């Protein structure tokens, strides 16, 4: 924090330009300072910021708490989160909700959950909805947003990934009679600037956004919903590091509004904090008596025992049962999703003779083999080397490709 002088009547949160050494830099007024004994070296404020006039008091209080908690410079964070100033921003068409009624009734579990949250619609309270996949958590969120909009307030809906945005836009557009805003890295600078201005208006809206949208200067906010609260994407590690869940709870406390966290697999922190309270909501059933999927675990060590050695090698890492199930569903005209959370063709490469394996010079981790580029790549940094024709230690030509990834299964 630095001290400057001015004859103008500035208020807390005003954005200004000030001299710093030989440069002119942006700054934010935090309040009046005690007048020092020596005022010779105090420089005057040059004037208002050319693009953004001020930050609302509640928003500034929130940013001060975040930067203090995470030990990050307040001024740098303020100007990190402002949208890019544009001389000629293009016009952006706003999406207006249709406000259609829901075509179905809530289940008894959903109704009980909604009524419990509704009781605290005008106060700060944390809720955790722990519901199985497909239990209708989105319907509860929707009913809550409808009630908040009826009260003339706005809602913030936080999601971990931008690829989830389209499905929620469609639902909220159909059943909410308010503006539907989105905020994520894929929208244009004009759209970001437009959202920045829209959230400061009194007119109700629903904002669907990823973690960065928590730093918009909201006005008249009525509730916050954090969907998939367990997701690691809610953590930011560069610039100002923060966890969206934790700072969302702080923001809700400042606005004195309820915050709802939802997940089929909540974090241990959230479970520990809320499981033994009335704010813990358990949804065990799916609507319309839809059954849960059948899960079968196969032991790959024994499933292919009856197959010839060459056939077993061709099937690996699949089993005969898995291949049979895939063929059966494809023959029925259905689709099959094979989920493999490993990139590349092989997890590592090893010399058959001397046992040498190949490691990243930066990270000391095994290099993965990518068949398409014929290279060994590090999964943590940009280090990569061409696939060796022979072992650099003993000269053996036989290099074993161990493990598997998406390329091998394809």
């Amino acid at each position: 924090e630095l001290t400057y002088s001015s004859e103008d009547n500035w208020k807390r949160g005003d954005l200004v330009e000030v001299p710093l050494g030989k440069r002119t830099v942006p700054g934010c007024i935090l309040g009046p300072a005690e007048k020092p004994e020596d005022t010779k070296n105090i420089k005057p404020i040059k004037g208002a910021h050319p693009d953004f006039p001020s930050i609302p008091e509640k928003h500034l209080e929130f940013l001060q708490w975040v930067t203090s908690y995470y030990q990050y410079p307040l001024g740098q964070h303020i100007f990190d989160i402002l949208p890019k100033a544009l001389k000629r921003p293009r016009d952006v068409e706003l999406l207006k909700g249709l406000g259609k009624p829901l075509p179905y009734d809530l289940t008894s579990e959903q109704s009980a959950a909604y009524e419990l949250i509704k009781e605290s619609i005008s106060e700060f309270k944390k809720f955790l909805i722990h519901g199985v996949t497909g239990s209708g958590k989105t319907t509860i969120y929707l009913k809550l947003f409808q009630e908040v909009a009826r009260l003339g307030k706005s809602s913030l809906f936080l999601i971990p990934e931008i690829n989830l945005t389209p499905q929620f836009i469609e639902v909220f557009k159909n059943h909410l009679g308010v503006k539907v805003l989105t905020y994520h890295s894929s929208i244009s600078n004009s759209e970001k600037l437009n959202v920045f201005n829209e959230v400061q208006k009194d007119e109700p809206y629903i904002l669907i956004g990823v973690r960065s949208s928590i730093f918009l200067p909201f006005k008249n906010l009525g509730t916050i919903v954090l969907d998939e609260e367990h997701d690691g994407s809610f953590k930011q590690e560069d610039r100002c590091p923060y966890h969206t869940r934790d700072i969302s709870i702080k923001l809700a406390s400042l606005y004195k509004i309820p915050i709802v966290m939802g997940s089929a697999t909540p974090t241990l922190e959230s479970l520990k904090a809320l499981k033994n309270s009335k704010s813990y909501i358990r949804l065990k059933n799916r609507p319309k008596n839809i059954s849960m999927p059948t899960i079968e675990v196969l032991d790959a060590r024994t499933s292919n025992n009856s197959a010839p050695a060459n056939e077993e090698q061709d099937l690996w890492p699949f089993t005969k049962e898995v291949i049979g199930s895939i063929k059966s569903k494809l023959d029925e005209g259905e689709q099959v999703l094979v989920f493999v959370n490993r990139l590349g063709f092989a997890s590592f490469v090893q010399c058959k003779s001397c046992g040498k394996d190949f490691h990243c010079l930066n990270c000391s981790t095994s290099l993965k083999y990518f068949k398409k580029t014929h290279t060994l790549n590090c999964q943590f940094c940009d280090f990569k080397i061409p696939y060796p024709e022979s072992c650099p230690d003993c000269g053996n030509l036989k290099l074993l490709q161990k493990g598997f990834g998406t390329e091998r299964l394809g």
Side-chain angles (χ1 to χ4, degrees):
E1 295 180 8
L2 300 175
T3 301
Y4 290 88
S5 63
S6 179
E7 299 296 328
D8 297 319
N9 186 25
W10 299 104
K11 70 178 186 299
R12 177 176 154 84
D14 284 341
L15 300 182
V16 294
E17 289 190 325
V18 296
L20 184 64
K22 295 182 179 181
R23 300 176 296 146
T24 296
V25 297
C28 178
I29 303 290
L30 298 181
E34 293 185 7
K35 189 173 182 179
E37 295 180 2
D38 183 10
T39 60
K40 293 180 181 179
N41 295 324
I42 295 181
K43 298 179 181 180
I45 294 173
K46 285 194 170 184
H49 191 280
D51 302 308
F52 302 100
S54 64
I55 292 176
E57 169 59 32
K58 196 168 289 188
H59 186 53
L60 179 57
E61 184 181 349
F62 173 60
L63 297 180
Q64 284 184 299
W65 181 88
V66 170
T67 52
S68 173
Y69 186 80
Y70 291 103
Q71 294 294 290
Y72 192 81
L74 173 62
Q76 184 174 339
H77 188 53
I78 288 174
F79 292 98
D80 279 348
I81 62 177
L82 288 176
K84 185 178 180 180
L86 303 173
K87 291 183 178 180
R88 295 179 181 177
R90 64 179 180 84
D91 293 333
V92 177
E93 184 178 351
L94 292 176
L95 185 62
K96 180 70 174 178
L98 303 175
K100 297 178 182 178
L102 288 173
Y104 50 84
D105 295 327
L106 273 64
T107 65
S108 56
E109 278 189 332
Q110 291 172 327
S111 296
Y114 166 65
E115 292 298 332
L116 181 63
I117 299 170
K118 184 181 175 184
E119 290 175 4
S120 303
I121 199 73
S122 299
E123 62 179 329
F124 167 62
K125 197 165 186 178
K126 296 181 289 184
F127 293 93
L128 174 63
I129 300 180
H130 182 187
V132 297
T133 304
S135 58
K137 294 185 288 292
T138 302
T139 301
I140 300 172
Y141 303 155
L142 185 56
K143 287 288 290 183
L144 176 61
F145 296 151
Q146 288 176 334
E147 177 62 16
V148 169
R150 189 187 68 79
L151 296 174
K153 294 188 175 184
S154 301
S155 302
L156 171 60
F157 183 60
L158 293 166
I159 53 178
E161 301 285 353
I162 60 175
N163 58 8
L164 297 174
T165 308
Q167 67 188 63
F168 288 115
I169 290 177
E170 190 65 25
V171 173
F172 296 155
K173 181 190 74 172
N174 284 331
H175 302 295
L176 293 176
V178 297
K179 291 180 292 185
V180 180
L181 309 175
T182 59
Y183 195 86
H184 49 76
S185 59
S186 294
I187 64 175
S188 67
N189 289 325
S190 292
E191 289 172 310
K192 288 179 180 177
L193 185 60
N194 179 69
V195 171
F196 183 85
N197 294 325
E198 287 293 328
V199 297
Q200 299 183 68
K201 297 178 180 179
D202 289 319
E203 185 181 353
Y205 56 82
I206 169 74
L207 173 68
I208 308 168
V210 294
R211 64 174 184 245
S212 58
S213 58
I214 192 68
F215 293 118
L216 290 167
F218 302 103
K219 186 177 183 180
N220 206 25
L221 196 60
T223 191
I224 301 173
V225 171
L226 192 77
D227 194 33
E228 307 294 347
E229 69 90 27
H230 64 275
D231 200 292
S233 299
F234 281 126
K235 290 183 180 180
Q236 173 156 308
E237 297 179 357
D238 60 332
R239 292 184 294 176
C240 179
Y242 63 89
H243 196 309
T244 311
R245 178 197 61 214
D246 298 339
I247 65 175
S248 297
I249 292 172
K250 179 61 180 180
L251 185 63
S253 71
L254 290 174
Y255 278 89
K256 296 180 173 57
I257 57 175
I259 176 169
V260 179
M261 298 170 285
S263 174
T265 54
T267 59
L268 292 177
E269 301 98 310
S270 297
L271 275 177
K272 174 69 174 176
L274 296 171
K275 188 168 184 179
N276 295 322
S277 72
K278 293 182 179 178
S279 299
Y280 175 72
I281 301 169
R282 189 73 169 100
L283 302 179
K284 298 180 179 181
N285 303 302
R286 290 177 160 184
K288 300 180 182 177
N289 296 319
I290 299 174
S291 61
M292 297 294 290
T294 301
I295 299 176
E296 183 179 359
V297 179
L298 298 176
D299 189 343
R301 297 171 300 177
T302 59
S303 293
N304 289 332
N305 282 352
S306 60
N310 60 336
E311 183 182 337
E312 179 182 345
Q313 187 173 358
D314 290 340
L315 288 177
W316 187 87
F318 291 116
T319 66
K320 290 191 301 180
E321 291 89 346
V322 171
I323 294 295
S325 296
I326 291 175
K327 287 182 177 179
S328 173
K329 291 302 174 185
L330 293 177
D331 290 342
E332 293 173 10
E334 298 184 16
Q335 296 178 325
V336 177
L337 172 64
V338 179
F339 177 72
V340 180
N341 61 340
R342 300 177 187 178
L343 295 175
F345 186 84
S347 301
F348 66 98
V349 173
Q350 187 175 48
C351 174
K352 185 177 182 181
S353 177
C354 69
K356 175 183 172 56
D357 51 9
F358 300 84
H359 289 84
C360 174
L361 298 180
N362 303 320
C363 309
S364 299
T365 57
S366 296
L367 297 175
K368 289 188 173 185
Y369 172 47
F370 285 78
K371 189 174 184 178
K372 187 175 182 180
T373 57
H374 205 52
T375 56
L376 299 178
N377 297 24
C378 176
Q379 58 182 325
F380 297 109
C381 70
D382 293 331
F383 181 80
K384 64 179 178 180
I385 58 174
Y387 187 82
E389 297 299 326
S390 61
C391 174
D393 284 5
C394 69
N396 191 291
L397 298 176
K398 186 66 174 179
L399 299 179
L400 302 177
Q401 299 163 2
K402 299 292 189 71
F404 63 92
T406 52
E407 285 188 340
R408 184 188 288 271
L409 301 187

